[in-house]
Structures are given as structure tokens and as C-alpha cells.
Amino acid sequence: MPNQSPLHFSLRQLSSALQTKKISSVELTQLYLERIAAYNPTLNAYITTNAEMSLAQARHADARLAKNNSHALPVISNLTGIPIAQKDIFCAKEWRTTCGSKMLENFIAPYDAHVIQQFNEAGAVNLGKTNMDEFAMGSSNETSYFGAVKNPWNHNVVPGGSSGGSAVAVAARLCAAATGTDTGGSIRQPAALCGISGIKPTYGVVSRYGMIAFASSLDQAGPMARSAEDLALMLNTMAGFDERDSTSLQRPPENYLRDIDSPAAGKPLSGLRIGLPQEFFAEGLSDDVAQAVAAAVVEYQKLGATVVNISLPNSKLSIPVYYVIAPAEASSNLSRFDGVRYGYRAKEYSDLTDMYQKSRAQGFGAEVKRRIMIGTYVLSHGYYDAYYVQAQKIRRLIAQDFDNAFKQCDVIMGPSAPGTAFNIGEKSDDPVAMYLQDIYTIAVNLAGLPGMSIPAGFGKNKLPIGLQIIGNYFSEAQMLNVAHRYQQATDWHTRMPPNILNDRGALT
Amino acid sequence: MIPYSTYLKKASVTASVTLKKVANPMSINMNDVYKIARLARLAITEQEAQAAQAQLTTIFNLIEQMQAVDTTGIQPMSHAQDATQRLREDRVSEIDQRELFQTLAPQVERNLYLVPPAIE
């Protein structure tokens, strides 16, 4: 009975198994560590694991679970004892935190990111730090200094990026759930390409404190998991006001399971209006993806939703706008890597400037240097108004398109990526082709809206396809419910990559 | 009823997206590349500069599409909620962690970060 393995449990089922002592956190953590030892040499989903530190957290979680709600130990949560993977962009105290870069190859974080702190307080177990495109710049995970990540559905194709390691860890059952970050699509595109679920919340909902900065006005952390319900559980822990992030939004705490847990009579999504932007179904979208998205919309109509045609006329400008704003902010953020206080320093240099230039040239990879140069140029004297200010103005036009659209609909649906996963190496020499991977996701970051991707079928090549759901500001609970009802009616999200389980359905 | 078929007809077979051709493509010359690299404090070889010149020209031609948009009277947007910067109370919040932080530094001597001499 393969379904008896805890690898197939939802987070709620795992939590219940832990609380009723059917399994201990140490056993569960061991199970995942053994799987990581067996599969990670091929998949390369994790950059760093530390069994000793993970098991220490698991033992502490078991103690908390044993003395449930006693005064001696913190109250348990529904993530207590659950092993999760952390994207290597989050500083985690005493953990090596590389951001996928040679620049931080030996950086041991001296403090916890807000997100890590929240998971620690909840009693979750950190299984390790997942691979990613260097400084989150990439859509294929090929720019990581620690090597490309393999897609478990087919080892010749990319997992997407930048949160490719987290997506693969979830898809290959190398963790119960994971964290990611999304600046232009870095949660949604790898989730789509690996057949899992992921949500980027409204900008400002999850604190950026301790999350290594790429483009500060766009970066937003979010969970990646096997179902919308699991995402809601994770987001309940990740979200919340934090005064150490100047853009963190002060709002009353939310329960993102709220809508999922409300009983639904008859058609569960009766009255929901789905907007389909004509621009998302134009040239450039592969047939497979177009058909899968259309089929998902038909399924939504069966659940009671209605469909309206909408237009996002400025969304076609989102790629040029993004490739001004994101590199501009990145060039500023990454100026801190100078080889003085932390990070890589060149072995030989003549003077201070030479030390800066060589340390940065040797410590950063090609894509990061490219973006630093674009950013430096667009911010330089004489170009600031023509590029940066113009991009920020068009950014407002893009956001206004969404404002107008949400007068006609409750959620927007479309593809998460233009096609299924592409071959490793296929686009790595053509930056612009790579940038176009994020053509449907970037506008959402520019507007600061929440967006998610859920599995919605497979292409002719048997690779997963993602459905993107975009909601209005702060509508995460509703979006998660919209995704959940679809997952109650379909089974795409339960499909597993081949060859990741033995015939007992569990260990290597 | 939604005309899915219309959407499907419009969808092309390949997953590549063609870019709008720009009337007057701008080009970045080698001097620009060296200047940008210097401003960004990135050492660059001639070979790297040549590759960068070609790639940056392609990327800037993509970016150039923005210039066709009339944005007269539009306010630049830097934050989704147009939130203003919150000010915090001026109080001591961090303890001294110099020793811990300096374990991460490439070169330290007598609690000081070492760099090559900047003034003769």
C-alpha cells in the first residue's frame, strides 16, 4: 500500500501523525535525510544539508510534541516536527548560506531571516538549503555556482528557476514542503515545470528581513508544496508584520486556511468570475499549455465559475520594464559584495580598487555580472530618466491594467510559463530567450499582486504544465481556496515523477 | 460561452516569442562596456567585454520598446501599495556581535577589517 508512506501525507496528515505519536519527527527527518542522500547526487536539489542540525531540531520538536502545551516548552503548531527545505537565499543561523554564488561559498549566516525565525518558532525542522540560480537571477537553475538542478520528470530538462532546488525537493519527495522567493516568476515557473504548487503572496505580506536582496521592490517569499492546502498551512507561518523590513505591511493576522475550511454546498465556486487575458493566449504560447489551461477553465466552469474576457494591454511591456527595474535594484543591492566584511576576496590584487574589481569579477557568475552592468548603465548619469523613471511609469500602467481587470473578475487565470520544461543548455547562451520564460509572471511582480501556479496536466513530452492564478491584493485565502477546489476535483497535483520511490513506496 | 478555439488558433506551435523589431536599434560600443564595468567595479577581459557588448546590445534593444510609450502625466510607481517608508523608534536594538561578524571577514587584524592602502 504505497499510500501508507508518510511521504504521501499532506502537511495536516503529517501533523496529525506526529501529534498522535504514529511517527516521530526524528523518524520523519531520518526518512527524508536518507532520501536526500540517495537522490540528491543526481538531482542536485540541495546545496547544503547538515544531518546533525536537522536531527537536533527534530529531537526538540519531539520533546515539544511529547509535552504538548506544557509550560516548559513552546506551544506546538501544525508544523511542529515537519521537515521542510529552505531556499538558500534565506539566512539561517549557523547554516552555510550561499545564494547559489561563489561569492558566498563559505558564508555561515550569523542570524536568522524572519522567515526562518517563524519556522523555528513553529517547530519545523530545517532539512537543508536548496539550490537556486545565482542570486535568484535565472529561470532554469543553470546559473548556480553549485551546478544545474535536474528535473525529476526528465533529467535532461531544467526544473525552472530561480527556486528550482525547492521545486525539485518537493516534486521528488525530498521534503514535506519548501520555501521559495519570486522576483519575476521564481516560485511560479519552477512550480509549473516540476508539477507542484507554489504561491507568491502580495508584496509586503512576508518579511524580506534576512532574505538576500535581488530587486527589493519586487522580491517576495512564498511557500512551495504539493497542494494548495499545504501552501495555506505554510503561508500561515511565513506571513506577518516585521518591523525590520521597511516595506513589510502592518495588517491584522490572517488565517489562509479560512476559505479552504469553510463548508461548500453544491457547486463550491459558484459565483466566481474568472478573467482570461487575451494577451496571455497569443503568439508564443505552446499548444500543449494552451490546451491544458483551456481544459482547466472548463473544469472551473463545472465547479460553478463563470468566465469573462479581459485585456491587460500593457503586459507586453512587462519584460522590458522588468529588465530595467530589477537590474537597477540588483546593481545597487549587490554593491555590498566588495570582499571586505564577508564573502569572496581575490587572492591577488594591487590596490583597493583592483581588489574590489577582481573579487567581484571572480566571485560573481556571468548572468549576475550581466545584470549588474545593465543596472549600472540604466542608473548612470544621463540615462536615469529615459530608463529607470520611464520603467517605473510604465509599471504603474501595468498595475492599472490589473485594477481595471479586477472590476470585471475575481481571479485571473492563464499559463504560468510559455511551454513545458526545456532542455538543459538550450537557452543558456541566449539571455533574452531565457528572460521570455517569465512573460506571464513578471507583470504580477511589477503590480505587487499575489500569483500562484498549480499543476494542470502534462504536455506531449509528458512534462508538467502549470495553471497560473492571479488574485487581487491580499486575496491569498480566496486564491488558495480556488486552487484547493480544483485539486479536490482533479488529481494532477498528486502525480509523481517516475523512479523516485521503490516498490514499497517509501525509502530508496 | 468563451471562444477557446480563438485562443487556441492564435497560439503558435513553438514556445518562442518573437520580439518587436525596433526601428533604430541602439548599440553599446566597447568604450561603453569598459565604462560600465569600471562603474560597477568589475574587472573585465577583452574577450568578456566583446561578449558583453553583443549581449547588452540585444538586451537594450528589448528595453528600447519602452520608449514608444507615452507616459506624460503618469506618476512613477515604486511600491505596489504606494506605501511610504515607515520610521522606527530610535532605540538600541542590536547587541555587539563584532567577534561573530568578523569570523566571516576575509582579513581581520586587531578587530579591524584589513584592506589594501587607499591613501599613499
mmCIF file of all heavy atoms in Angstrom, chain A residues 334-377:
data_model
loop_
_atom_site.group_PDB
_atom_site.id
_atom_site.type_symbol
_atom_site.label_atom_id
_atom_site.label_comp_id
_atom_site.label_asym_id
_atom_site.label_seq_id
_atom_site.Cartn_x
_atom_site.Cartn_y
_atom_site.Cartn_z
ATOM 1 N N LEU A 334 23.812 44.587 -4.864
ATOM 2 C CA LEU A 334 24.999 43.738 -4.918
ATOM 3 C C LEU A 334 26.308 44.521 -4.816
ATOM 4 O O LEU A 334 27.390 43.930 -4.813
ATOM 5 C CB LEU A 334 24.983 42.859 -6.183
ATOM 6 C CG LEU A 334 24.278 41.500 -5.995
ATOM 7 C CD1 LEU A 334 22.826 41.671 -5.579
ATOM 8 C CD2 LEU A 334 24.364 40.649 -7.240
ATOM 9 N N SER A 335 26.185 45.856 -4.658
ATOM 10 C CA SER A 335 27.404 46.641 -4.466
ATOM 11 C C SER A 335 28.030 46.330 -3.100
ATOM 12 O O SER A 335 29.191 46.618 -2.860
ATOM 13 C CB SER A 335 27.113 48.136 -4.598
ATOM 14 O OG SER A 335 26.264 48.553 -3.565
ATOM 15 N N ARG A 336 27.237 45.704 -2.203
ATOM 16 C CA ARG A 336 27.767 45.379 -0.868
ATOM 17 C C ARG A 336 28.831 44.278 -0.921
ATOM 18 O O ARG A 336 29.581 44.103 0.033
ATOM 19 C CB ARG A 336 26.624 44.969 0.061
ATOM 20 C CG ARG A 336 26.069 43.591 -0.220
ATOM 21 C CD ARG A 336 24.787 43.323 0.545
ATOM 22 N NE ARG A 336 23.747 44.282 0.170
ATOM 23 C CZ ARG A 336 22.499 44.259 0.609
ATOM 24 N NH1 ARG A 336 22.134 43.339 1.456
ATOM 25 N NH2 ARG A 336 21.605 45.150 0.218
ATOM 26 N N PHE A 337 28.872 43.529 -2.013
ATOM 27 C CA PHE A 337 29.853 42.438 -2.103
ATOM 28 C C PHE A 337 31.166 42.995 -2.636
ATOM 29 O O PHE A 337 31.374 43.108 -3.842
ATOM 30 C CB PHE A 337 29.302 41.297 -2.972
ATOM 31 C CG PHE A 337 28.075 40.683 -2.361
ATOM 32 C CD1 PHE A 337 26.813 40.993 -2.825
ATOM 33 C CD2 PHE A 337 28.194 39.830 -1.272
ATOM 34 C CE1 PHE A 337 25.683 40.455 -2.230
ATOM 35 C CE2 PHE A 337 27.072 39.281 -0.667
ATOM 36 C CZ PHE A 337 25.809 39.598 -1.147
ATOM 37 N N ASP A 338 32.014 43.393 -1.690
ATOM 38 C CA ASP A 338 33.248 44.087 -2.053
ATOM 39 C C ASP A 338 34.486 43.378 -1.523
ATOM 40 O O ASP A 338 35.591 43.890 -1.603
ATOM 41 C CB ASP A 338 33.203 45.533 -1.537
ATOM 42 C CG ASP A 338 32.986 45.606 -0.026
ATOM 43 O OD1 ASP A 338 32.956 44.545 0.635
ATOM 44 O OD2 ASP A 338 32.843 46.722 0.496
ATOM 45 N N GLY A 339 34.303 42.190 -0.935
ATOM 46 C CA GLY A 339 35.452 41.428 -0.437
ATOM 47 C C GLY A 339 36.057 41.984 0.837
ATOM 48 O O GLY A 339 37.195 41.657 1.165
ATOM 49 N N VAL A 340 35.315 42.829 1.572
ATOM 50 C CA VAL A 340 35.879 43.416 2.783
ATOM 51 C C VAL A 340 35.330 42.761 4.053
ATOM 52 O O VAL A 340 36.064 42.204 4.853
ATOM 53 C CB VAL A 340 35.662 44.946 2.832
ATOM 54 C CG1 VAL A 340 36.160 45.521 4.165
ATOM 55 C CG2 VAL A 340 36.371 45.623 1.666
ATOM 56 N N ARG A 341 34.011 42.807 4.235
ATOM 57 C CA ARG A 341 33.458 42.333 5.513
ATOM 58 C C ARG A 341 33.048 40.861 5.476
ATOM 59 O O ARG A 341 33.042 40.189 6.489
ATOM 60 C CB ARG A 341 32.269 43.206 5.916
ATOM 61 C CG ARG A 341 32.685 44.593 6.365
ATOM 62 C CD ARG A 341 31.553 45.569 6.186
ATOM 63 N NE ARG A 341 31.122 45.578 4.796
ATOM 64 C CZ ARG A 341 29.891 45.847 4.396
ATOM 65 N NH1 ARG A 341 28.955 46.115 5.262
ATOM 66 N NH2 ARG A 341 29.596 45.848 3.107
ATOM 67 N N TYR A 342 32.644 40.390 4.315
ATOM 68 C CA TYR A 342 32.273 38.972 4.184
ATOM 69 C C TYR A 342 32.328 38.628 2.707
ATOM 70 O O TYR A 342 32.435 39.512 1.858
ATOM 71 C CB TYR A 342 30.867 38.699 4.744
ATOM 72 C CG TYR A 342 29.821 39.679 4.296
ATOM 73 C CD1 TYR A 342 29.235 39.595 3.030
ATOM 74 C CD2 TYR A 342 29.426 40.727 5.129
ATOM 75 C CE1 TYR A 342 28.286 40.506 2.620
ATOM 76 C CE2 TYR A 342 28.476 41.651 4.719
ATOM 77 C CZ TYR A 342 27.900 41.527 3.466
ATOM 78 O OH TYR A 342 26.971 42.437 3.060
ATOM 79 N N GLY A 343 32.268 37.366 2.405
ATOM 80 C CA GLY A 343 32.248 36.949 1.007
ATOM 81 C C GLY A 343 33.633 36.785 0.423
ATOM 82 O O GLY A 343 34.658 36.962 1.099
ATOM 83 N N TYR A 344 33.648 36.458 -0.847
ATOM 84 C CA TYR A 344 34.871 36.120 -1.554
ATOM 85 C C TYR A 344 35.800 37.327 -1.713
ATOM 86 O O TYR A 344 35.340 38.440 -1.981
ATOM 87 C CB TYR A 344 34.496 35.559 -2.935
ATOM 88 C CG TYR A 344 35.687 35.218 -3.796
ATOM 89 C CD1 TYR A 344 36.333 33.991 -3.656
ATOM 90 C CD2 TYR A 344 36.164 36.125 -4.743
ATOM 91 C CE1 TYR A 344 37.433 33.677 -4.447
ATOM 92 C CE2 TYR A 344 37.253 35.816 -5.538
ATOM 93 C CZ TYR A 344 37.888 34.603 -5.384
ATOM 94 O OH TYR A 344 38.970 34.293 -6.154
ATOM 95 N N ARG A 345 37.107 37.093 -1.520
ATOM 96 C CA ARG A 345 38.105 38.109 -1.862
ATOM 97 C C ARG A 345 39.150 37.467 -2.776
ATOM 98 O O ARG A 345 39.604 36.352 -2.517
ATOM 99 C CB ARG A 345 38.800 38.642 -0.604
ATOM 100 C CG ARG A 345 39.868 39.694 -0.938
ATOM 101 C CD ARG A 345 40.669 40.138 0.271
ATOM 102 N NE ARG A 345 39.916 41.045 1.123
ATOM 103 C CZ ARG A 345 40.490 41.879 1.994
ATOM 104 N NH1 ARG A 345 41.813 41.928 2.114
ATOM 105 N NH2 ARG A 345 39.756 42.651 2.760
ATOM 106 N N ALA A 346 39.496 38.179 -3.856
ATOM 107 C CA ALA A 346 40.501 37.661 -4.801
ATOM 108 C C ALA A 346 41.804 37.385 -4.061
ATOM 109 O O ALA A 346 42.113 38.038 -3.056
ATOM 110 C CB ALA A 346 40.719 38.668 -5.926
ATOM 111 N N LYS A 347 42.567 36.422 -4.553
ATOM 112 C CA LYS A 347 43.829 36.069 -3.882
ATOM 113 C C LYS A 347 44.902 37.131 -4.119
ATOM 114 O O LYS A 347 45.692 37.447 -3.255
ATOM 115 C CB LYS A 347 44.332 34.712 -4.379
ATOM 116 C CG LYS A 347 43.401 33.549 -4.062
ATOM 117 C CD LYS A 347 43.406 33.180 -2.572
ATOM 118 C CE LYS A 347 42.185 32.350 -2.202
ATOM 119 N NZ LYS A 347 40.906 33.111 -2.163
ATOM 120 N N GLU A 348 44.944 37.667 -5.331
ATOM 121 C CA GLU A 348 45.991 38.646 -5.666
ATOM 122 C C GLU A 348 45.369 39.932 -6.199
ATOM 123 O O GLU A 348 44.439 39.879 -7.001
ATOM 124 C CB GLU A 348 46.918 38.061 -6.745
ATOM 125 C CG GLU A 348 47.830 36.985 -6.201
ATOM 126 C CD GLU A 348 48.591 36.264 -7.293
ATOM 127 O OE1 GLU A 348 48.694 36.822 -8.415
ATOM 128 O OE2 GLU A 348 49.048 35.147 -7.031
ATOM 129 N N TYR A 349 45.946 41.053 -5.751
ATOM 130 C CA TYR A 349 45.448 42.353 -6.211
ATOM 131 C C TYR A 349 46.523 43.395 -5.916
ATOM 132 O O TYR A 349 47.375 43.196 -5.039
ATOM 133 C CB TYR A 349 44.135 42.718 -5.515
ATOM 134 C CG TYR A 349 44.107 42.370 -4.050
ATOM 135 C CD1 TYR A 349 44.667 43.227 -3.098
ATOM 136 C CD2 TYR A 349 43.559 41.172 -3.606
ATOM 137 C CE1 TYR A 349 44.676 42.907 -1.760
ATOM 138 C CE2 TYR A 349 43.559 40.837 -2.256
ATOM 139 C CZ TYR A 349 44.114 41.709 -1.337
ATOM 140 O OH TYR A 349 44.130 41.386 -0.002
ATOM 141 N N SER A 350 46.461 44.540 -6.640
ATOM 142 C CA SER A 350 47.490 45.552 -6.456
ATOM 143 C C SER A 350 47.061 46.635 -5.466
ATOM 144 O O SER A 350 47.841 47.019 -4.596
ATOM 145 C CB SER A 350 47.856 46.172 -7.802
ATOM 146 O OG SER A 350 46.687 46.681 -8.427
ATOM 147 N N ASP A 351 45.839 47.129 -5.584
ATOM 148 C CA ASP A 351 45.376 48.169 -4.659
ATOM 149 C C ASP A 351 43.898 47.952 -4.341
ATOM 150 O O ASP A 351 43.320 46.937 -4.729
ATOM 151 C CB ASP A 351 45.614 49.562 -5.254
ATOM 152 C CG ASP A 351 44.926 49.729 -6.610
ATOM 153 O OD1 ASP A 351 43.992 48.957 -6.907
ATOM 154 O OD2 ASP A 351 45.323 50.626 -7.383
ATOM 155 N N LEU A 352 43.282 48.906 -3.649
ATOM 156 C CA LEU A 352 41.909 48.723 -3.177
ATOM 157 C C LEU A 352 40.927 48.522 -4.342
ATOM 158 O O LEU A 352 40.121 47.594 -4.327
ATOM 159 C CB LEU A 352 41.491 49.928 -2.317
ATOM 160 C CG LEU A 352 40.122 49.828 -1.656
ATOM 161 C CD1 LEU A 352 40.055 48.670 -0.667
ATOM 162 C CD2 LEU A 352 39.768 51.130 -0.935
ATOM 163 N N THR A 353 41.022 49.403 -5.355
ATOM 164 C CA THR A 353 40.105 49.286 -6.499
ATOM 165 C C THR A 353 40.301 47.953 -7.212
ATOM 166 O O THR A 353 39.322 47.283 -7.581
ATOM 167 C CB THR A 353 40.335 50.459 -7.478
ATOM 168 O OG1 THR A 353 40.184 51.669 -6.742
ATOM 169 C CG2 THR A 353 39.337 50.437 -8.615
ATOM 170 N N ASP A 354 41.558 47.574 -7.374
ATOM 171 C CA ASP A 354 41.865 46.302 -8.019
ATOM 172 C C ASP A 354 41.281 45.138 -7.206
ATOM 173 O O ASP A 354 40.773 44.168 -7.772
ATOM 174 C CB ASP A 354 43.387 46.170 -8.161
ATOM 175 C CG ASP A 354 43.779 45.043 -9.110
ATOM 176 O OD1 ASP A 354 43.202 44.995 -10.217
ATOM 177 O OD2 ASP A 354 44.639 44.225 -8.744
ATOM 178 N N MET A 355 41.333 45.264 -5.890
ATOM 179 C CA MET A 355 40.773 44.202 -5.046
ATOM 180 C C MET A 355 39.253 44.112 -5.230
ATOM 181 O O MET A 355 38.697 43.023 -5.400
ATOM 182 C CB MET A 355 41.081 44.456 -3.573
ATOM 183 C CG MET A 355 40.700 43.272 -2.711
ATOM 184 S SD MET A 355 40.274 43.656 -1.024
ATOM 185 C CE MET A 355 38.830 44.610 -1.099
ATOM 186 N N TYR A 356 38.563 45.262 -5.235
ATOM 187 C CA TYR A 356 37.117 45.268 -5.491
ATOM 188 C C TYR A 356 36.823 44.598 -6.823
ATOM 189 O O TYR A 356 35.974 43.725 -6.943
ATOM 190 C CB TYR A 356 36.579 46.707 -5.581
ATOM 191 C CG TYR A 356 36.541 47.500 -4.300
ATOM 192 C CD1 TYR A 356 36.639 48.901 -4.345
ATOM 193 C CD2 TYR A 356 36.359 46.894 -3.060
ATOM 194 C CE1 TYR A 356 36.569 49.663 -3.185
ATOM 195 C CE2 TYR A 356 36.291 47.655 -1.899
ATOM 196 C CZ TYR A 356 36.403 49.044 -1.975
ATOM 197 O OH TYR A 356 36.326 49.797 -0.828
ATOM 198 N N GLN A 357 37.523 45.078 -7.868
ATOM 199 C CA GLN A 357 37.196 44.651 -9.236
ATOM 200 C C GLN A 357 37.461 43.169 -9.438
ATOM 201 O O GLN A 357 36.668 42.485 -10.084
ATOM 202 C CB GLN A 357 37.984 45.487 -10.249
ATOM 203 C CG GLN A 357 37.502 46.941 -10.254
ATOM 204 C CD GLN A 357 38.194 47.782 -11.304
ATOM 205 O OE1 GLN A 357 39.300 47.466 -11.727
ATOM 206 N NE2 GLN A 357 37.548 48.857 -11.723
ATOM 207 N N LYS A 358 38.593 42.684 -8.895
ATOM 208 C CA LYS A 358 38.910 41.260 -9.088
ATOM 209 C C LYS A 358 38.020 40.367 -8.228
ATOM 210 O O LYS A 358 37.583 39.312 -8.668
ATOM 211 C CB LYS A 358 40.393 41.012 -8.801
ATOM 212 C CG LYS A 358 41.280 41.552 -9.915
ATOM 213 C CD LYS A 358 42.687 41.019 -9.847
ATOM 214 C CE LYS A 358 43.473 41.498 -11.072
ATOM 215 N NZ LYS A 358 44.772 42.046 -10.706
ATOM 216 N N SER A 359 37.751 40.805 -6.981
ATOM 217 C CA SER A 359 36.902 39.993 -6.105
ATOM 218 C C SER A 359 35.519 39.825 -6.728
ATOM 219 O O SER A 359 34.951 38.735 -6.736
ATOM 220 C CB SER A 359 36.755 40.638 -4.722
ATOM 221 O OG SER A 359 38.022 40.734 -4.102
ATOM 222 N N ARG A 360 34.982 40.917 -7.269
ATOM 223 C CA ARG A 360 33.637 40.866 -7.856
ATOM 224 C C ARG A 360 33.641 40.100 -9.176
ATOM 225 O O ARG A 360 32.721 39.335 -9.457
ATOM 226 C CB ARG A 360 33.100 42.296 -8.033
ATOM 227 C CG ARG A 360 32.767 42.939 -6.691
ATOM 228 C CD ARG A 360 32.570 44.441 -6.777
ATOM 229 N NE ARG A 360 31.467 44.867 -7.635
ATOM 230 C CZ ARG A 360 30.182 44.848 -7.282
ATOM 231 N NH1 ARG A 360 29.836 44.395 -6.089
ATOM 232 N NH2 ARG A 360 29.255 45.268 -8.117
ATOM 233 N N ALA A 361 34.702 40.297 -9.974
ATOM 234 C CA ALA A 361 34.772 39.598 -11.267
ATOM 235 C C ALA A 361 34.896 38.090 -11.065
ATOM 236 O O ALA A 361 34.306 37.305 -11.803
ATOM 237 C CB ALA A 361 35.946 40.120 -12.092
ATOM 238 N N GLN A 362 35.644 37.676 -10.017
ATOM 239 C CA GLN A 362 35.839 36.237 -9.779
ATOM 240 C C GLN A 362 34.704 35.629 -8.954
ATOM 241 O O GLN A 362 34.415 34.446 -9.070
ATOM 242 C CB GLN A 362 37.180 36.005 -9.059
ATOM 243 C CG GLN A 362 38.388 36.375 -9.907
ATOM 244 C CD GLN A 362 39.680 36.501 -9.084
ATOM 245 O OE1 GLN A 362 39.772 36.000 -7.971
ATOM 246 N NE2 GLN A 362 40.665 37.193 -9.643
ATOM 247 N N GLY A 363 34.074 36.441 -8.119
ATOM 248 C CA GLY A 363 33.045 35.918 -7.207
ATOM 249 C C GLY A 363 31.666 35.782 -7.835
ATOM 250 O O GLY A 363 30.875 34.932 -7.431
ATOM 251 N N PHE A 364 31.360 36.645 -8.816
ATOM 252 C CA PHE A 364 30.046 36.606 -9.469
ATOM 253 C C PHE A 364 30.119 35.817 -10.773
ATOM 254 O O PHE A 364 31.103 35.900 -11.507
ATOM 255 C CB PHE A 364 29.567 38.018 -9.823
ATOM 256 C CG PHE A 364 29.213 38.894 -8.648
ATOM 257 C CD1 PHE A 364 29.652 40.213 -8.599
ATOM 258 C CD2 PHE A 364 28.407 38.424 -7.614
ATOM 259 C CE1 PHE A 364 29.316 41.044 -7.535
ATOM 260 C CE2 PHE A 364 28.059 39.252 -6.547
ATOM 261 C CZ PHE A 364 28.512 40.562 -6.508
ATOM 262 N N GLY A 365 29.035 35.125 -11.116
ATOM 263 C CA GLY A 365 28.931 34.424 -12.387
ATOM 264 C C GLY A 365 28.482 35.348 -13.507
ATOM 265 O O GLY A 365 28.158 36.524 -13.289
ATOM 266 N N ALA A 366 28.445 34.821 -14.736
ATOM 267 C CA ALA A 366 28.203 35.634 -15.933
ATOM 268 C C ALA A 366 26.853 36.361 -15.908
ATOM 269 O O ALA A 366 26.769 37.544 -16.236
ATOM 270 C CB ALA A 366 28.295 34.755 -17.178
ATOM 271 N N GLU A 367 25.774 35.667 -15.504
ATOM 272 C CA GLU A 367 24.448 36.303 -15.542
ATOM 273 C C GLU A 367 24.363 37.434 -14.517
ATOM 274 O O GLU A 367 23.791 38.486 -14.784
ATOM 275 C CB GLU A 367 23.343 35.261 -15.305
ATOM 276 C CG GLU A 367 21.919 35.804 -15.351
ATOM 277 C CD GLU A 367 21.534 36.428 -16.694
ATOM 278 O OE1 GLU A 367 22.102 36.029 -17.730
ATOM 279 O OE2 GLU A 367 20.663 37.334 -16.702
ATOM 280 N N VAL A 368 24.937 37.212 -13.347
ATOM 281 C CA VAL A 368 24.903 38.243 -12.311
ATOM 282 C C VAL A 368 25.675 39.475 -12.782
ATOM 283 O O VAL A 368 25.203 40.617 -12.661
ATOM 284 C CB VAL A 368 25.467 37.696 -10.978
ATOM 285 C CG1 VAL A 368 25.606 38.804 -9.941
ATOM 286 C CG2 VAL A 368 24.563 36.585 -10.444
ATOM 287 N N LYS A 369 26.849 39.252 -13.378
ATOM 288 C CA LYS A 369 27.635 40.386 -13.877
ATOM 289 C C LYS A 369 26.887 41.133 -14.981
ATOM 290 O O LYS A 369 26.908 42.356 -15.053
ATOM 291 C CB LYS A 369 28.995 39.897 -14.389
ATOM 292 C CG LYS A 369 29.941 39.558 -13.251
ATOM 293 C CD LYS A 369 31.350 39.335 -13.732
ATOM 294 C CE LYS A 369 31.602 37.877 -13.968
ATOM 295 N NZ LYS A 369 33.037 37.562 -14.103
ATOM 296 N N ARG A 370 26.206 40.350 -15.839
ATOM 297 C CA ARG A 370 25.435 40.976 -16.918
ATOM 298 C C ARG A 370 24.381 41.910 -16.329
ATOM 299 O O ARG A 370 24.216 43.041 -16.749
ATOM 300 C CB ARG A 370 24.762 39.857 -17.722
ATOM 301 C CG ARG A 370 24.196 40.287 -19.028
ATOM 302 C CD ARG A 370 24.308 39.187 -20.080
ATOM 303 N NE ARG A 370 23.832 37.886 -19.640
ATOM 304 C CZ ARG A 370 24.502 36.750 -19.833
ATOM 305 N NH1 ARG A 370 25.664 36.743 -20.448
ATOM 306 N NH2 ARG A 370 24.001 35.605 -19.419
ATOM 307 N N ARG A 371 23.670 41.420 -15.300
ATOM 308 C CA ARG A 371 22.588 42.244 -14.742
ATOM 309 C C ARG A 371 23.151 43.440 -13.972
ATOM 310 O O ARG A 371 22.556 44.513 -13.980
ATOM 311 C CB ARG A 371 21.677 41.394 -13.868
ATOM 312 C CG ARG A 371 21.023 40.309 -14.698
ATOM 313 C CD ARG A 371 19.697 39.914 -14.173
ATOM 314 N NE ARG A 371 19.289 38.627 -14.730
ATOM 315 C CZ ARG A 371 18.150 38.031 -14.467
ATOM 316 N NH1 ARG A 371 17.282 38.602 -13.667
ATOM 317 N NH2 ARG A 371 17.851 36.871 -15.006
ATOM 318 N N ILE A 372 24.268 43.261 -13.302
ATOM 319 C CA ILE A 372 24.881 44.399 -12.611
ATOM 320 C C ILE A 372 25.241 45.467 -13.646
ATOM 321 O O ILE A 372 25.026 46.664 -13.432
ATOM 322 C CB ILE A 372 26.134 43.958 -11.820
ATOM 323 C CG1 ILE A 372 25.728 43.112 -10.609
ATOM 324 C CG2 ILE A 372 26.954 45.175 -11.377
ATOM 325 C CD1 ILE A 372 26.897 42.527 -9.834
ATOM 326 N N MET A 373 25.748 45.038 -14.803
ATOM 327 C CA MET A 373 26.135 46.008 -15.833
ATOM 328 C C MET A 373 24.919 46.713 -16.429
ATOM 329 O O MET A 373 24.938 47.921 -16.640
ATOM 330 C CB MET A 373 26.982 45.322 -16.911
ATOM 331 C CG MET A 373 28.369 44.937 -16.357
ATOM 332 S SD MET A 373 29.422 44.096 -17.537
ATOM 333 C CE MET A 373 29.838 45.419 -18.644
ATOM 334 N N ILE A 374 23.839 45.968 -16.675
ATOM 335 C CA ILE A 374 22.618 46.611 -17.187
ATOM 336 C C ILE A 374 22.140 47.652 -16.181
ATOM 337 O O ILE A 374 21.833 48.790 -16.522
ATOM 338 C CB ILE A 374 21.477 45.572 -17.410
ATOM 339 C CG1 ILE A 374 21.869 44.510 -18.427
ATOM 340 C CG2 ILE A 374 20.185 46.276 -17.851
ATOM 341 C CD1 ILE A 374 20.912 43.313 -18.466
ATOM 342 N N GLY A 375 22.106 47.251 -14.911
ATOM 343 C CA GLY A 375 21.621 48.141 -13.855
ATOM 344 C C GLY A 375 22.492 49.368 -13.703
ATOM 345 O O GLY A 375 21.997 50.492 -13.542
ATOM 346 N N THR A 376 23.790 49.167 -13.765
ATOM 347 C CA THR A 376 24.719 50.293 -13.641
ATOM 348 C C THR A 376 24.488 51.290 -14.775
ATOM 349 O O THR A 376 24.463 52.500 -14.566
ATOM 350 C CB THR A 376 26.170 49.764 -13.681
ATOM 351 O OG1 THR A 376 26.325 48.797 -12.643
ATOM 352 C CG2 THR A 376 27.177 50.885 -13.485
ATOM 353 N N TYR A 377 24.278 50.749 -15.972
ATOM 354 C CA TYR A 377 24.071 51.613 -17.137
ATOM 355 C C TYR A 377 22.777 52.418 -17.023
ATOM 356 O O TYR A 377 22.779 53.631 -17.207
ATOM 357 C CB TYR A 377 24.065 50.759 -18.404
ATOM 358 C CG TYR A 377 24.034 51.553 -19.690
ATOM 359 C CD1 TYR A 377 25.158 52.243 -20.127
ATOM 360 C CD2 TYR A 377 22.885 51.605 -20.465
ATOM 361 C CE1 TYR A 377 25.143 52.968 -21.306
ATOM 362 C CE2 TYR A 377 22.856 52.324 -21.656
ATOM 363 C CZ TYR A 377 23.993 53.009 -22.071
ATOM 364 O OH TYR A 377 23.962 53.720 -23.235
#
